[in-house]
Amino acid sequence: MSRLRLFVAVLPPAPAVEELRRAAAPLHALPEAEGLRWTDVSGWHYTLAFLGPVDEELLPELEERLARAAHRTDPFPLRIHGAGRFGGRALWVGAAGALDTLRLLAERADAAARRTGIPMDEHRRYHPHLTLARSRRAEVDLRPCVEALGSFEGTGWEVGELALVRSDLPVSGVPGERPGYEVVASWSLGH
C-alpha cells in the first residue's frame, strides 16, 4: 500500500511570494544566516493541517471532505505580516487579515482528516506562519533576523483556494537538498 506525506495549506500568490523574497534577501547576508537552511521559495505556504503519511486509499474520502470544508468557507483577505521565531530552531513570517477565518479553515481541514481516519496530532491553537529557515545546528540566534523582518507588511490578497500538498523528503543525501512539494488537489473557497 502506497503512503503519501501530505499537508493541507494556503498558498500565497506569486506577487506575495516575490515581495517576501525581496524583503528576506538581505537576511542571507547576516552572520546568523550561515547557520540556517533556507526554505525554497517554491515551497512557501501556510500549513493548515499536517497529515503525515497517509494511505493512498484514503485519498478519495479525504478529498471529498476537504472539498466540503473549502466550499463552506468564504474567500477571505490575508497578507504576510511580521516575523518571529520558534526558539533558535525556525524563522518564520506571520499573517494578518481575516485570521479567524484562516483558523476556522485550519480547524475544518483538521476535522476532515480526522473523519477520514487519519490520526492527527493533539489539537493546538492554530498559529499561522510561513517558515523561511530552519537552523542547521541545535540553536541559532534568530533575533537579528526577526528584527530585520519584523516590520514587514506584505500586500494583501484574497485567499480563494485550499490545497492538499504532497511533500517528498530528500533521499539523495546531497547536502542542501530540500523537500519537493506538489499540489495533489485544490478546491475553490465558498462555491
Side-chain angles (χ1 to χ4, degrees), residues 24-172:
L27 300 181
H28 294 261
L30 293 174
E32 296 77 15
E34 63 189 53
L36 298 174
R37 189 178 69 247
W38 297 88
T39 58
D40 192 61
V41 173
S42 66
W44 283 354
H45 60 270
Y46 287 97
T47 300
L48 299 177
F50 179 74
L51 311 183
V54 175
D55 292 336
E56 206 167 358
E57 67 189 25
L58 295 177
L59 270 183
E61 182 181 351
L62 175 63
E63 290 178 1
E64 184 179 312
R65 291 183 182 280
L66 288 172
R68 279 199 298 261
H71 299 328
R72 289 182 16 228
T73 309
D74 288 329
F76 59 94
L78 199 67
R79 71 180 186 281
I80 299 170
H81 164 80
R85 61 192 171 101
F86 294 129
R89 298 178 321 279
L91 171 67
W92 50 263
V93 290
L99 296 184
D100 286 345
T101 306
L102 184 64
R103 284 186 187 101
L104 176 63
L105 190 56
E107 288 171 14
R108 287 176 172 166
D110 184 270
R114 286 178 194 280
R115 289 185 184 123
T116 302
I118 298 167
M120 299 294 288
D121 286 340
E122 181 182 320
H123 191 69
R124 293 187 297 254
R125 179 151 169 83
Y126 178 68
H127 180 88
H129 66 281
L130 182 157
T131 303
L132 291 178
R134 291 181 178 81
S135 62
R136 292 182 190 276
R137 50 187 186 270
E139 294 281 321
V140 173
D141 183 5
L142 295 173
R143 288 175 299 187
C145 295
V146 172
E147 289 167 14
L149 203 56
S151 62
F152 179 75
E153 287 290 339
T155 303
W157 77 90
E158 183 175 80
V159 175
E161 193 172 79
L162 178 67
L164 178 63
V165 183
R166 174 183 179 168
S167 69
D168 295 313
L169 296 176
V171 292
S172 71

